[in-house]
């Protein structure tokens, strides 16, 4: 089954919000262990479009979103991070 991404407007809004928060908080990244854990969680999720490692719920590319400590999973599957 092919998953459809949110609208371009919604993806831009999601990314802009995440990027703004990330920058405002000083661009903090998760540990390598937490990054791997986030990716493993995503690999088990049906919302992941694996060929491009992109979430079909929010439209974000996981290589960036999973590294940013201020980002959260749109389906609330990642553990909470203290910033």
């Amino acid at each position: 089954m092919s998953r459809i991404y949110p609208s371009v407007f919604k993806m831009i809004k999601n990314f802009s919000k995440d990027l703004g928060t990330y920058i405002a908080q000083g661009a903090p990244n998760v540990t390598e262990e937490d990054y791997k854990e986030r990716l493993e969680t995503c690999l088990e999720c049906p919302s992941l479009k694996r060929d491009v490692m992109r979430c079909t719920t929010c439209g974000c590319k996981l290589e960036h979103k999973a590294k940013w400590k201020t980002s959260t999973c749109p389906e609330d599957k990642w553990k909470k991070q203290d910033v």
Side-chain angles (χ1 to χ4, degrees):
M1 179 174 123
S2 177
R3 303 267 321 191
I4 298 174
Y5 298 113
S7 69
V8 172
F9 175 75
K10 180 72 171 168
M11 288 189 293
I12 291 170
K13 182 179 173 187
N14 290 340
F15 181 75
S16 297
K17 180 181 173 196
D18 279 354
L19 181 61
T21 302
Y22 177 68
I23 292 170
Q25 293 293 323
N29 291 322
V30 297
T31 64
E32 187 66 27
E33 180 181 314
D34 285 341
Y35 178 65
K36 288 177 182 177
E37 184 179 308
R38 284 180 170 197
L39 291 179
E40 287 173 11
T41 299
C42 293
L43 286 171
E44 297 172 6
C45 183
S47 295
L48 176 65
K49 186 154 175 43
R50 286 173 164 255
D51 61 332
V52 291
M53 288 302 285
R54 194 165 168 185
C55 177
T56 59
T57 301
C58 65
C60 291
K61 300 266 281 168
L62 292 177
E63 65 186 296
H64 304 295
K65 185 174 182 114
K67 286 182 183 178
W68 297 353
K69 197 172 201 176
T70 55
S71 292
T72 58
C73 170
E75 297 185 11
D76 204 30
K77 294 182 179 183
W78 293 344
K79 74 178 181 181
K80 302 291 182 219
Q81 297 281 323
D82 291 327
V83 180

